[in-house]
Amino acid sequence: DADPRVRAAAALRITDIPRLVELQKFADPAVKRIATERLSGVADQWLRVKPLAECQPFLDHITDQKTLAELSVQAKDAGVRAAAFARFTAQKDLSPALLTLVAIQDATGDLAQQALTRIDKRSLLKDISRKAKIEAVRSAAIARSEALGREADKPTAEQLRQVRRKALAPLLDQALRLAVSTDWPRATAGFESLTSAWNSACDTMP
């Protein structure tokens, strides 16, 4: 139909997956958007109950992170769960909240452990340590949170540089005074002592 409103209304009534896939190639952006949304919903229903061998092509058309994360823990077929999780983690800008959902709700622990490695927020790891279905996942969340805490407590490169500067500044001042001294024997002895102090300071710095 030439009327875009009619085309969009017609697309809303379609539930046949092959036809929705074809509509995704349609020139009308409204029809493409509706087809994508409908395909995601219909495919989601199939993927929750069918084995992967019967619905892999449908999974390949889903890019919504929430749908993929939910399939990772709710689909009946282990193959669908694994494939959905792989597709989920291949997306850009992964949602930490959805990774947390997988880590908490995964009943096998395998996908949960993989999700944990991608979570860097200690508040989310704390939630996982309390709510995850699998004890090993709860323990792993605690360990990761503690490791991140230790890493956060380490001084930054800039902080280390400031520590070195503060420790070496008095020695630099002393070197400048010796450099302009007219008492060369005393200055030479002073430089030897200063070199020893400099090396000692460098050896004890982090």
Side-chain angles (χ1 to χ4, degrees):
D1 195 290
D3 189 335
R5 292 173 298 179
V6 174
R7 292 197 298 267
L12 281 170
R13 293 194 294 270
I14 296 174
T15 58
D16 181 66
I17 290 178
R19 290 191 64 192
L20 288 171
V21 171
E22 287 300 315
L23 286 178
Q24 283 188 307
K25 305 173 185 177
F26 211 70
D28 188 325
V31 172
K32 289 178 66 174
R33 177 183 57 79
I34 292 170
T36 299
E37 293 174 353
R38 294 288 292 163
L39 180 62
S40 179
V42 174
D44 177 56
Q45 296 173 19
W46 273 60
L47 287 160
R48 287 175 186 271
V49 297
K50 300 289 185 180
L52 183 62
E54 295 183 20
C55 55
Q56 176 73 66
F58 309 142
L59 181 62
D60 293 341
H61 289 280
I62 297 179
T63 57
D64 178 65
Q65 288 193 26
K66 184 174 184 294
T67 299
L68 292 168
E70 290 177 347
L71 286 171
S72 299
V73 294
Q74 295 174 5
K76 290 185 178 180
D77 183 69
V80 171
R81 294 196 300 272
F85 182 76
R87 188 162 176 79
F88 165 52
T89 53
Q91 305 296 311
K92 294 180 179 180
D93 301 321
L94 280 179
S95 164
L98 291 175
L99 285 167
T100 301
L101 179 146
V102 174
I104 290 174
Q105 295 189 13
D106 176 32
T108 67
D110 295 337
L111 301 182
Q113 294 283 6
Q114 294 180 54
L116 271 182
T117 65
R118 297 170 178 267
I119 298 173
D120 296 325
K121 293 184 178 179
R122 297 182 68 191
S123 59
L124 296 179
L125 291 168
K126 183 178 180 180
D127 285 343
I128 296 168
S129 71
R130 292 186 290 106
K131 300 176 183 178
K133 292 183 177 181
I134 306 297
E135 182 179 354
V137 175
R138 296 195 295 271
S139 298
I142 293 172
R144 180 161 174 77
S145 178
E146 291 175 348
L148 289 172
R150 290 192 296 271
E151 191 65 27
D153 290 338
K154 289 182 179 179
T156 64
E158 176 59 23
Q159 289 172 330
L160 291 174
R161 189 176 70 82
Q162 294 293 342
V163 169
R164 294 190 187 99
R165 174 183 290 182
K166 185 176 181 180
L168 297 176
L171 300 179
L172 289 171
D173 291 340
Q174 186 178 346
L176 289 173
R177 288 194 299 270
L178 291 173
V180 297
S181 174
T182 57
D183 187 347
W184 285 107
R186 182 178 179 183
T188 300
F191 272 118
E192 291 177 354
S193 175
L194 185 62
T195 300
S196 177
W198 183 280
N199 291 336
S200 178
C202 290
D203 289 341
T204 58
M205 285 181 192

